[in-house]
Amino acid sequence: MKMSRWLPLALFALLAALLAAGVWMSRKPDRDALPSPLLGKPAPAFALPVLHEPQRTVTLEQLRGQPFLLNVWGSWCVECRVEHPVLTRFAETRRLRVVGYNWKDEPADALRWLEQYGNPFWLVLADVEGRSAIDWGIYGAPETFLVDRNGVVLWKHVGALTDEIIAGELMPALQKSEGAR
C-alpha cells in the first residue's frame, strides 16, 4: 500500500526528467537539419528546363567537369530573400558556378523575383512540379548543395546561407575536394 502512494510521484519525476532531457538535447541550433544521405554519393540525375529558356533542358551530365553550388529557392520563400544578398556576393567572386534550382514556383513569379532582386545564378533550372527535388531529398527552401566536378555531393546546408557558413563550411569543403584531385 505504501508503494502505491509513491507511484504518482515517481511517474511525475520520470516525466519531468524526460522533459528536461528533451529541452537540453534540443539546444543545438541545427536540430531540424537532417543529414543528407547523398553526401559522398553521386548526385541524382535530372533533366530540367532552364527558367529563362523553357525549351532548353539541362542535365546533371552537362554540368559535370567543374564543381557547382546548387541553390534551391522560390519566389514564395521568405528566407531565400534573406540569403539572396549573401549568395549574390559569393556568386560575384566567380569562385564557383552557382546554379539556381527554382522549386515549385510559377515561372512568371520566379522571373519577376529575379528581375526585382537580381540574378546571381550562372544558370537557373526550373522544377515547377518538384519531381526531381524528391530524388535530392529537398524538403524546403532554401537548401544548398556543393557538387564536385565528378557529380558527387560534397556538402549540404539547410536554411539561408550566411557569410560565416560560406567561410566556415562551404569553402573548406570545396578546398578539401580540390586538394583530393
Side-chain angles (χ1 to χ4, degrees), residues 2 32 36 68 85 91 96 115 117 130 135 137 150 172 174:
K2 287 186 178 184
D32 295 330
S36 176
F68 64 93
L96 190 62
E115 188 171 318
Y117 297 105
D135 296 334
N150 297 315
L174 179 61

Side-chain angles (χ1 to χ4, degrees), residues 166-178:
I166 289 173
E169 296 179 27
L170 171 60
M171 294 311 294
L174 179 61
Q175 290 163 350
K176 182 179 176 185
S177 77
E178 291 173 337

Side-chain angles (χ1 to χ4, degrees), residues 22-31:
V23 169
W24 184 78
M25 289 171 44
S26 72
R27 72 190 189 294
K28 289 175 58 181
D30 64 345
R31 65 184 179 270

Side-chain angles (χ1 to χ4, degrees), residues 65-174:
Q66 292 180 39
F68 64 93
L69 196 67
L70 184 74
N71 179 257
V72 180
W73 67 281
S75 64
W76 46 265
C77 168
V78 175
E79 280 297 301
C80 297
R81 193 172 298 173
V82 171
E83 133 180 293
H84 198 72
V86 173
L87 192 62
T88 299
R89 282 192 303 276
F90 178 72
E92 287 171 351
T93 68
R94 297 185 184 264
R95 179 67 177 83
L96 190 62
R97 295 180 298 169
V98 180
V99 176
Y101 188 105
N102 185 242
W103 182 53
K104 291 189 175 185
D105 208 352
E106 290 298 321
D109 293 340
L111 290 167
R112 191 170 29 258
W113 195 90
L114 289 173
E115 188 171 318
Q116 181 177 357
Y117 297 105
N119 184 356
F121 303 111
W122 176 75
L123 172 74
V124 181
L125 304 171
D127 189 0
V128 177
E129 299 296 321
R131 288 196 174 99
S132 290
I134 293 168
D135 296 334
W136 282 79
I138 295 168
Y139 62 92
E143 288 187 25
T144 307
F145 298 83
L146 173 61
V147 180
D148 77 4
R149 61 190 178 99
N150 297 315
V152 174
V153 178
L154 301 177
W155 177 80
K156 177 184 178 183
H157 178 73
V158 176
L161 291 175
T162 64
D163 292 325
E164 293 77 20
I165 291 168
I166 289 173
E169 296 179 27
L170 171 60
M171 294 311 294
L174 179 61

